[in-house]
C-alpha cells in the first residue's frame, strides 16, 4: 500500500497546517463586524520574523523564549538526528512517501533525493513539428505551502517553433540502489499540467523589467521572455502541496492524476457549508515572505450568495483593526545562468482554504500582480494610491485591495474577499444553494 502511506503522510501534514499557529507571531482581532476571531502574522526572509502590532511582538517574544527553553531541555527530535540515521529510516520508504518527506524542509528534500536517485520534475516543450525537448529542473525551493521549481539554460528551442509545454513529475521505474544517473534510467512521467504557449500574449503578461517580460499561464506557471530577442529565458512552476505527491507520481505521461470522488459529510446545520472555514495565505518570492497569515472561523450567510458565488469576507473595509501590512518590498525574483533580476509588484501567492472539518477545500499557488486602481470598489475613500490583486480559477475567485502608505513605503491590505463557486460548495457539502 505504497500510495496509502504517502497519502496518509500528506493528510497528516495538512492536519498540522490546519492546527498550527500563524508564522511570525499571532494576534487576535474581531472578525468582519465582530463576527469572527482571526489570527495573522508575517515573516520576512529566512528565519527572520516580524509580527503585526506591539502586542503581537511581545507575545511572540514570550513564546520564542518558552520555545527556546523547551528545545534546550529536549535532547532528541527528528530533525536533530544524524543524517546517517535518517538515511536508514528513509531506506525503508517507497517513492511516494519519500517525495512527501522531501516537502518537509530542505534537509529532508536532499536526503530523500539521495535515496531515490533524482526524483523531481521536468518540462517537455513541444515543437509544432512534433519534436520534443525534455528539460530537468535547475533550481527548487520549498515554501510553507508550496514548492517552486525553475528551469533555465542556453539551449532553449526557438519560441516561434513551439506549441505546448507539459509539466510532469518523474520517478525512477526501478527503485534499485545503483548509482547510474537517473536521466539515463527509465523513469515514470506523471503529467501535472499542459500549457499552450500561444497564450503568451499581452493579456497574460503580469510584469517586466529592463531584461525580462513575465507571463502567467494557469495553473501556476511563470514564463520569462527576453525583452530583446523574444525568446525563452526561464520557466517557473509553483505547485501547492495539496495532492502534490499523487499528481507527481500517479498520473501518466498523457493523463493527469484524477482526484478520488468526494463524499459529503452529513450536517444538520441550516447553513451547512457556509461556516467554519480557515484560510492560510502566503505571499513570497525567492524565500522572502511579505505576508503569512491565518484567518479562523470564516463564515457567510445565504444572503451573501449571488451570481453563482458564495462570498466570504476575510478582511473588511469597515474594521480598520483587520487591515494588514505587507512586510518589505513586493517583487518576484528571477535568474538564469547569465543574469538575475527582480520584477516589482509581482509575487507568488499560496492559498489554503480548509472546511469546518479541516479538509482542504480550495488550494492554489500562483503568480499574482499588484495593479493600480482608481479607488477601492466599496467602502471609505482613502488618502493615497489604491491597488488590487485578483485571482480566478474554476473553483473560486480572490479579490484583495491595498493602500500604498507613502510614509512607511509599504502596502496595507484594506480588503480581502473570497468568492467560492456555489457549484463547488454544493458538490462538496451535498447542499442545494
Amino acid at each position: 500500500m505504497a500510495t496509502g502511506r504517502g497519502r496518509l503522510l500528506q493528510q497528516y501534514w495538512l492536519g498540522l497546517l490546519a492546527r498550527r499557529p500563524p508564522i511570525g507571531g499571532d494576534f487576535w482581532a474581531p472578525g468582519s463586524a465582530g463576527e469572527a476571531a482571526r489570527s495573522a502574522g508575517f515573516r520576512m526572509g529566512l528565519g527572520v520574523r516580524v509580527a503585526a502590532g506591539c502586542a503581537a511582538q511581545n507575545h511572540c517574544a514570550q513564546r520564542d523564549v518558552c520555545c527556546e527553553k523547551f528545545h534546550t531541555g529536549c535532547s532528541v527530535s527528528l530533525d536533530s538526528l544524524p543524517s546517517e540515521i535518517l538515511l536508514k529510516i528513509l531506506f525503508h520508504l517507497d517513492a511516494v512517501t519519500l517525495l512527501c518527506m522531501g516537502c518537509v524542509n530542505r534537509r529532508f528534500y536532499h536526503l530523500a533525493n539521495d535515496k531515490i536517485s533524482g526524483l523531481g520534475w521536468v518540462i517537455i516543450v513541444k515543437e509544432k513539428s512534433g519534436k520534443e525537448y525534455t528539460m530537468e529542473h535547475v533550481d527548487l525551493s520549498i515554501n510553507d505551502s508550496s514548492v517552486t521549481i525553475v528551469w533555465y539554460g542556453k539551449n532553449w528551442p526557438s519560441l516561434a517553433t513551439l506549441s505546448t509545454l507539459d509539466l510532469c513529475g518523474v520517478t525512477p521505474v526501478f527503485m534499485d540502489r545503483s548509482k547510474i544517473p537517473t536521466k539515463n534510467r527509465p523513469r515514470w512521467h506523471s503529467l501535472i499540467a499542459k500549457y499552450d504557449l500561444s497564450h503568451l500574449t499581452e493579456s497574460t503578461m503580469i510584469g517586466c523589467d529592463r531584461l525580462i517580460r513575465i507571463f502567467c499561464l494557469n495553473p501556476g506557471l511563470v514564463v520569462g521572455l527576453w525583452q530583446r530577442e523574444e525568446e525563452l529565458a526561464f520557466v517557473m512552476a509553483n505547485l501547492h502541496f495539496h495532492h502534490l505527491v499523487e499528481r507527481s507520481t500517479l498520473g501518466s505521461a498523457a493523463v493527469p492524476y484524477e482526484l478520488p470522488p468526494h463524499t459529503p459529510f452529513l450536517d444538520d446545520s441550516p447553513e451547512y457549508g457556509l461556516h467554519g472555514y480557515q484560510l492560510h495565505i502566503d505571499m513570497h518570492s525567492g524565500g522572502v515572505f511579505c505576508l503569512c497569515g491565518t484567518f479562523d472561523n470564516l463564515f457567510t450567510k445565504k444572503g451573501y450568495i449571488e451570481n453563482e458565488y458564495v462570498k466570504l469576507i476575510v478582511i473588511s473595509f469597515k474594521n480598520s483593526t483587520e487591515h494588514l501590512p505587507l512586510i518589505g518590498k513586493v517583487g518576484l525574483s528571477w535568474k538564469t545562468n547569465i543574469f538575475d533580476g527582480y520584477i516589482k509588484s509581482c509575487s507568488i501567492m499560496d492559498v489554503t482554504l480548509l472546511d469546518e472539518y479541516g479538509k482542504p477545500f480550495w488550494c492554489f499557488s500562483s503568480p499574482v500582480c499588484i495593479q493600480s486602481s482608481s479607488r477601492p470598489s466599496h467602502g471609505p475613500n482613502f488618502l493615497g494610491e489604491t491597488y488590487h490583486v485578483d485571482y480566478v480559477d474554476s473553483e473560486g475567485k480572490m479579490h484583495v485591495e491595498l493602500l500604498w502608505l507613502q510614509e512607511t513605503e509599504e502596502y496595507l491590505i484594506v480588503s480581502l474577499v473570497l468568492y467560492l463557486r456555489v457549484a463547488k460548495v454544493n458538490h462538496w457539502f451535498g447542499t442545494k444553494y
Side-chain angles (χ1 to χ4, degrees):
M1 300 296 292
T3 58
R5 288 201 300 273
R7 188 174 297 109
L8 181 62
L9 185 55
Q10 187 183 47
Q11 290 175 349
Y12 172 73
W13 181 90
L14 287 166
L16 292 179
L17 175 65
R19 296 191 297 271
R20 71 177 183 176
I23 295 174
D26 48 326
F27 71 97
W28 295 95
S32 298
E35 294 177 341
R38 288 145 186 197
S39 60
F42 309 94
R43 182 176 69 186
M44 182 176 67
L46 296 175
V48 181
R49 299 183 175 185
V50 180
C54 296
Q57 291 177 351
N58 294 334
H59 177 78
C60 184
Q62 293 172 2
R63 189 177 66 183
D64 287 346
V65 170
C66 293
C67 290
E68 184 177 352
K69 291 179 179 179
F70 173 78
H71 288 299
T72 301
C74 181
S75 58
V76 178
S77 68
L78 184 61
D79 199 39
S80 67
L81 290 176
S83 296
E84 293 78 7
I85 302 297
L86 287 173
L87 284 171
K88 289 187 183 228
I89 296 172
L90 296 180
F91 180 85
H92 299 282
L93 302 181
D94 55 86
V96 175
T97 309
L98 283 169
L99 179 57
C100 195
M101 287 288 292
C103 292
V104 174
N105 58 34
R106 282 187 175 84
R107 185 187 182 206
F108 278 20
Y109 170 77
H110 290 297
L111 289 172
N113 208 42
D114 286 343
K115 298 308 297 178
I116 51 184
S117 303
L119 177 61
W121 294 268
V122 300
I123 54 174
I124 304 172
V125 288
K126 300 181 180 181
E127 289 188 341
K128 298 170 185 176
S129 64
K131 187 176 181 179
E132 298 182 356
Y133 302 84
T134 300
M135 303 188 67
E136 308 289 331
H137 75 263
V138 178
D139 196 11
L140 180 147
S141 59
I142 297 172
N143 312 304
D144 286 354
S145 306
S146 69
V147 59
T148 300
I149 312 150
V150 182
W151 294 262
Y152 56 81
K154 299 179 181 179
N155 300 317
W156 292 101
S158 173
L159 180 61
T161 67
L162 300 179
S163 58
T164 60
L165 181 151
D166 291 356
L167 170 62
C168 299
V170 289
T171 51
V173 173
F174 304 109
M175 292 300 295
D176 60 281
R177 306 300 168 183
S178 67
K179 298 300 181 180
I180 303 173
T182 303
K183 64 180 181 180
N184 295 328
R185 302 167 59 195
R187 293 186 296 176
W188 179 261
H189 285 66
S190 177
L191 179 64
I192 296 175
K194 183 183 287 286
Y195 303 90
D196 188 342
L197 295 179
S198 67
H199 293 166
L200 301 179
T201 62
E202 292 299 323
S203 63
T204 58
M205 191 180 83
I206 60 172
C208 65
D209 60 16
R210 64 186 183 87
L211 294 176
I212 292 286
R213 291 193 301 158
I214 61 170
F215 300 79
C216 173
L217 298 181
N218 287 329
L221 196 75
V222 179
V223 178
L225 299 185
W226 295 113
Q227 287 274 23
R228 182 171 297 179
E229 292 87 2
E230 283 289 327
E231 294 293 347
L232 289 170
F234 69 88
V235 172
M236 178 190 299
N238 303 279
L239 303 174
H240 195 282
F241 283 159
H242 181 47
H243 283 299
L244 175 59
V245 175
E246 291 87 344
R247 289 183 291 147
S248 300
T249 59
L250 301 183
S252 71
V255 180
Y257 167 74
E258 184 176 347
L259 297 179
H262 172 73
T263 303
F265 291 94
L266 297 177
D267 194 315
D268 296 331
S269 170
E271 295 192 337
Y272 181 39
L274 304 181
H275 57 78
Y277 290 95
Q278 181 187 81
L279 171 68
H280 184 79
I281 180 171
D282 296 330
M283 287 184 67
H284 61 89
S285 176
V288 178
F289 285 68
C290 59
L291 172 66
C292 184
T294 297
F295 305 84
D296 297 313
N297 297 326
L298 301 175
F299 68 94
T300 188
K301 298 180 180 179
K302 291 182 180 179
Y304 275 51
I305 298 177
E306 58 182 25
N307 299 324
E308 301 301 320
Y309 284 98
V310 173
K311 183 178 180 181
L312 288 178
I313 299 176
V314 183
I315 295 176
S316 172
F317 273 115
K318 299 178 181 179
N319 193 339
S320 61
T321 63
E322 297 178 352
H323 299 172
L324 303 176
L326 299 185
I327 304 301
K329 295 182 179 180
V330 179
L332 189 143
S333 301
W334 63 268
K335 69 177 180 179
T336 67
N337 53 315
I338 303 175
F339 300 106
D340 57 59
Y342 183 80
I343 298 178
K344 296 179 180 180
S345 301
C346 294
S347 185
I348 304 301
M349 177 179 285
D350 298 338
V351 164
T352 306
L353 182 67
L354 307 177
D355 66 15
E356 61 180 292
Y357 302 102
K359 303 294 183 181
F361 179 83
W362 184 33
C363 301
F364 67 83
S365 178
S366 177
V368 294
C369 180
I370 298 177
Q371 299 178 319
S372 177
S373 55
S374 57
R375 62 178 299 276
S377 60
H378 57 283
N381 291 319
F382 291 97
L383 297 176
E385 297 180 66
T386 56
Y387 297 82
H388 67 272
V389 173
D390 287 291
Y391 173 83
V392 182
D393 64 22
S394 61
E395 298 187 5
K397 301 188 295 185
M398 170 177 283
H399 181 69
V400 184
E401 299 197 3
L402 308 99
L403 176 68
W404 175 251
L405 303 178
Q406 187 62 45
E407 292 185 359
T408 57
E409 295 187 341
E410 63 184 2
Y411 290 102
L412 181 70
I413 298 178
V414 295
S415 176
L416 196 165
V417 182
L418 303 181
Y419 298 87
L420 310 179
R421 287 195 179 273
V422 173
K424 164 76 172 180
V425 174
N426 286 338
H427 169 74
W428 191 263
F429 295 101
T431 51
K432 296 181 180 180
Y433 296 124

